[in-house]
Amino acid sequence: MNRLRTILSLPILLGMFSIVHASADDLTHFVDTRQGTDSDFGLSRGNTYPATGMPFGMHLWSPQTGLNGDGWKYQWKADSLRGLSQSHQCSPWVGDYAVYSLMPVTGRLRTDERARAAAFTHDNETALPHYYRVRLNDGTIAEVAPTTRGAHFRFSYPRGQQAWLVLDGYHGQFDMKVDAARRQIVGWVNNHRFVNHPETFRCYFILQFDKPFTSQGKWAEGVYVGFAPGTKVQVKAASSYISAEQARLTLQTELGSDRSLNQTRERGRKTWNQLLGQVRVQGGTEEQLRTFYSCLFRANLFSRKFYERRSDGTSYYYSPYDGRVHDGYMYTDNGFWDTFRSQFPLTCLLHPTQQGRYMEALLQAQHECGWLPSWSFPGETGGMVGNHAISLLADAWAKGIRTVSADSILKAYAHEAMNKGPWGGANGRAGWKSYFTLGYVPFPESHGSVTQTLEYAYDDFCAWQLARSAGLKHWERVFGRQMMNYRNLWDSETHFMRGRSSDGRWTEPFDPLEWGGPYTEGNAWHYIWSVFHDVQGLINLFGSDQAFVEKIDSVFTMENTVKPGWYGGIIHEMKEMQLADMGQYAHGNQPIQHLPYLYTYAGQPWKTQYWVRQIMNRLYNSGPQGFPGDEDQGGMSAWYVLSAMGLYAVTPGTDQYVIGSPLFNSMTLTTEEGRHFTIEAQNNSAENVYIESATLNGQPFGRNYLTYDEINRGGTLVLQMSSEPNRQRAISKQAAPFSLSRARASRR
């Protein structure tokens, strides 16, 4: 679910050529939450909205330009605002849930979402991680500063006109009451998309005002209150999925001591600066810094904390899976197909404690609904392809984050891998019986069969790797039998992964440019490379390193022709690949994003260094056209953050990060424990993208990867950069990152 290419224009890019350091105390001023909002159904430049919220907060808050229920909550091209809404939207393709909005209205009372829309311009917006402000054309100023489970609003009305605040319950069931004596509005909403027990799902809320109401009333979709002309009113809001009482407790614990929105805003600024400051960069242009920190912001919004705090600080949660309340932690709102490749490997570096809690939450979810999540929103949807919860679990385990037992993980995964669940294609395994008996998922019995086979094989590798590291021989044998199944779809004549029928015949006619059918959101050029765990095995199928490299080269250099194929028409991913103008390389979607790093496995790392710089510089910026496709819950942003740091995790489930070409002169990662790992790219520039030589902690360094431990325990990697590639450095197989075939061969 991802797409497009961007153009470095827009007024935001002033200062493009000034060289600056991100060493100031306030890094939030580099972030523009409107990055990627110039999107629509036909073309995604991120498909984002200006989310204001705390890191991984239970709720986000956003200005709303679209109609209720419209997937595009906020679009750059819009010129009127309908409200400030509580939001949980991961993508416009899945909608939103537990939404209500507040809209200031002046003059005649207008409650309908079309009638109350007020004009605004982007020049009158401030869009930061911890604070959103807009001055409407009628003179009203609306502000919001978030907490983890609530928000602090301030509405400043112009003099001379009646002032109103309209509360919209969105679509769905709701109940709202105005308590004028307490200056409160309390209630709940029950709008949702994918809650597995909707009969028990409610989002309870409380709004506390600091000014009296002059009038009040109900309308079809909510309530409204009135104020005297020229009023400046503050509103504290908190929500809970557990109870109205918990919402009141959250209001007190998260906002009770804040007399002014300014206090809430300042606390949020400090929280975000602490997080953004975990990755300090030096060098680069103003625009590169804005892009980097805007992406780092987005990479830390999902998954969402779905747990709440009792008065004694202990955590508990309403489960969107079984509709009951449980002790512990829960995280939701993430499609793992979008995020296992980049967002979670970044989270392991920045937030290992949270990742440990996430492991617990995944197994809790499996206990509560019978399945490991694949696409939670907030319950299980079964969206997309693969069983990638095992990737998250095995990746954390490989990096020493072990809050649950390996046996419990593998039992849960075995149920996932050997059954099909009641929801979408990734809830359990579509085609699982054929995958085990034939060694592949057949086509046309299962559309996306090539994607399924390749990703199932990778997932089985993750389970095998986990079992092997934990000494669980039974599970090692079970999953070791399938992890090489990718070879069953290799056509040695065409050098593509191809669909085949249950009787073994290749799907004909075959055109590698044709989208869909056996390929999910892509074509055969995109899915050659989805052998994350065994790149050397894929090289062996090609016959040589040189043949492998030439095939990668051709992806970038051939025509960017699109043949819609089974889709029957152009979809936005196709447009975005063409706009990227990098041949058949489709960075706007996940399947091929790791491709430029594969050169390092075949003895030509300088081509990785060249192409990752090209992608960062040509396809990303900090503006409304900031992404080359759907941003997807931090997945697209995390690719940029890791790559700009000089790293990427080609094989989650191992402890390795492949080295690319750092964007900045210096990057310092501060771990959760306070240790520092620095990558110094000496003589770095737009032309000097190639690594001439390297040292790690003062010793010569000739590998194309770092381990998690090498990063996590702190140290310094010094890279000497050059305008010419060093074709002799790190070209051996010993310098290459992990591949299953090579690892098994070395143990023989």
Side-chain angles (χ1 to χ4, degrees), residues 120-137:
F120 78 106
T121 65
H122 296 302
D123 289 342
N124 289 327
E125 287 185 295
T126 301
L128 298 169
H130 59 289
Y131 177 61
Y132 177 82
R133 179 187 188 274
V134 60
R135 181 183 180 92
L136 303 175
N137 289 6

Side-chain angles (χ1 to χ4, degrees), residues 99-131:
V99 185
Y100 70 86
S101 67
L102 299 174
M103 180 64 189
V105 175
T106 58
R108 178 177 58 86
L109 175 63
R110 303 177 306 283
T111 56
D112 177 79
E113 59 179 323
R114 287 181 172 85
R116 70 175 187 248
F120 78 106
T121 65
H122 296 302
D123 289 342
N124 289 327
E125 287 185 295
T126 301
L128 298 169
H130 59 289
Y131 177 61

Side-chain angles (χ1 to χ4, degrees), residues 352-369:
T353 297
Q354 176 174 297
Q355 195 69 357
R357 292 173 178 175
Y358 206 103
M359 296 174 77
E360 298 173 17
L362 287 172
L363 291 190
Q364 274 295 109
Q366 198 274 343
H367 176 74
E368 290 158 16
C369 80

Side-chain angles (χ1 to χ4, degrees), residues 61 92 98 241 258 289 311 445 463 502 551 584 589 607:
W61 300 89
Y241 298 112
D258 292 353
L289 288 168
S311 57
E445 290 91 329
S502 56
K551 193 77 166 187
Q584 289 294 310
N589 211 3
K607 289 187 176 179

Side-chain angles (χ1 to χ4, degrees), residues 9-51:
S9 56
L10 304 170
I12 295 171
L13 309 187
L14 296 175
M16 177 84 177
F17 301 104
S18 61
I19 304 299
V20 293
H21 290 186
S23 58
D25 290 335
D26 189 3
L27 297 175
T28 63
H29 79 273
F30 288 119
V31 178
D32 191 329
T33 66
R34 298 169 299 179
Q35 181 190 27
T37 57
D38 189 8
S39 303
D40 56 36
F41 181 87
L43 186 63
S44 172
R45 295 177 170 92
N47 269 331
T48 61
Y49 54 95

Side-chain angles (χ1 to χ4, degrees), residues 279-305:
V279 190
R280 292 273 182 172
V281 297
Q282 294 184 352
T285 66
E286 176 83 10
E287 167 58 15
Q288 288 170 334
L289 288 168
R290 290 186 180 280
T291 303
F292 180 81
Y293 283 109
S294 293
C295 285
L296 184 56
F297 157 73
R298 289 210 167 270
N300 285 276
L301 294 178
F302 300 94
S303 298
R304 194 180 304 288
K305 295 175 181 176

Side-chain angles (χ1 to χ4, degrees), residues 223-503:
V223 298
Y224 63 85
V225 292
F227 304 98
T231 296
K232 180 181 289 188
V233 58
Q234 296 191 99
V235 189
K236 297 178 184 179
S239 302
S240 169
Y241 298 112
I242 295 173
S243 67
E245 292 74 23
Q246 178 62 43
R248 290 182 181 275
L249 175 61
T250 298
L251 183 75
Q252 181 59 37
T253 55
E254 294 195 3
L255 286 155
S257 62
D258 292 353
R259 297 180 61 85
S260 167
L261 175 142
N262 297 348
Q263 293 173 273
T264 311
R265 180 180 63 195
E266 178 60 17
R267 188 169 61 251
R269 187 186 70 83
K270 289 180 179 178
T271 298
W272 272 112
N273 270 310
Q274 182 177 4
L275 189 154
L276 298 174
Q278 282 189 258
V279 190
R280 292 273 182 172
V281 297
Q282 294 184 352
T285 66
E286 176 83 10
E287 167 58 15
Q288 288 170 334
L289 288 168
R290 290 186 180 280
T291 303
F292 180 81
Y293 283 109
S294 293
C295 285
L296 184 56
F297 157 73
R298 289 210 167 270
N300 285 276
L301 294 178
F302 300 94
S303 298
R304 194 180 304 288
K305 295 175 181 176
F306 211 72
Y307 61 89
E308 304 178 44
R309 297 287 190 184
R310 297 185 178 93
S311 57
D312 63 1
T314 57
S315 61
Y316 70 140
Y317 61 92
Y318 165 86
S319 170
Y321 302 107
D322 70 3
R324 300 175 182 174
V325 175
H326 303 268
D327 290 339
Y329 299 98
M330 182 53 62
Y331 296 83
T332 58
D333 296 357
N334 204 305
F336 297 152
W337 193 77
D338 300 324
T339 54
F340 83 87
R341 312 158 202 258
S342 57
Q343 199 255 355
F344 281 97
L346 176 62
T347 300
C348 282
L349 287 173
L350 296 177
H351 316 295
T353 297
Q354 176 174 297
Q355 195 69 357
R357 292 173 178 175
Y358 206 103
M359 296 174 77
E360 298 173 17
L362 287 172
L363 291 190
Q364 274 295 109
Q366 198 274 343
H367 176 74
E368 290 158 16
C369 80
W371 305 89
L372 288 168
S374 62
W375 222 121
S376 60
F377 184 63
E380 173 59 2
T381 73
M384 296 309 293
V385 182
N387 310 113
H388 299 313
I390 189 63
S391 174
L392 277 58
L393 291 160
D395 192 50
W397 183 277
K399 290 161 181 169
I401 306 169
R402 301 177 178 180
T403 55
V404 294
S405 73
D407 189 59
S408 65
I409 294 172
L410 292 166
K411 286 178 179 176
Y413 176 66
H415 174 71
E416 197 81 12
M418 302 175 193
N419 292 279
K420 176 66 190 79
W423 301 296
N427 178 229
R429 274 187 178 168
W432 71 272
K433 290 182 180 179
S434 297
Y435 174 78
F436 277 96
T437 57
L438 299 175
Y440 60 92
V441 179
F443 182 83
E445 290 91 329
S446 185
H447 277 248
S449 59
V450 170
T451 308
Q452 290 164 339
T453 300
L454 298 179
E455 297 193 11
Y456 294 170
Y458 161 70
D459 289 334
D460 286 346
F461 159 77
C462 289
W464 174 86
Q465 178 86 338
L466 173 59
R468 184 172 173 273
S469 66
L472 300 175
K473 297 298 183 182
H474 168 69
W475 295 120
E476 186 179 348
R477 288 191 296 271
V478 167
F479 296 111
R481 289 193 290 264
Q482 285 78 236
M483 61 186 176
M484 308 299 280
N485 276 359
Y486 70 88
R487 296 184 296 194
N488 297 328
L489 295 185
W490 175 254
D491 179 1
S492 59
E493 292 187 9
T494 64
H495 282 192
F496 285 99
M497 299 290 183
R498 292 184 57 184
R500 62 192 312 178
S501 64
S502 56
D503 62 6

